[in-house]
Amino acid sequence: MAKINTNSNVYTIVYAAVLVIIVAFLLALANAALKPRQDANVALSQ
């Protein structure tokens, strides 16, 4: 099996892109899960 060159620019860019996609997904999930609470808090503050 070929060894992955972790010092290459392509590896760094792909790794960063994958992390960005994962974090964006988690943030979107948290936003969707907390939307009812946000709406309730807005209603209470008015």
Side-chain angles (χ1 to χ4, degrees):
M1 190 162 97
K3 187 176 184 309
I4 297 174
N5 182 9
T6 58
N7 291 325
S8 71
N9 289 336
V10 173
Y11 176 83
T12 303
I13 292 169
V14 170
Y15 184 82
V18 169
L19 283 180
V20 166
I21 291 168
I22 291 171
V23 171
F25 175 76
L26 292 174
L27 286 173
L29 186 67
N31 183 42
L34 294 173
K35 184 68 173 156
R37 279 193 182 190
Q38 292 172 355
D39 293 341
N41 285 334
V42 168
L44 286 173
S45 69
Q46 292 178 352

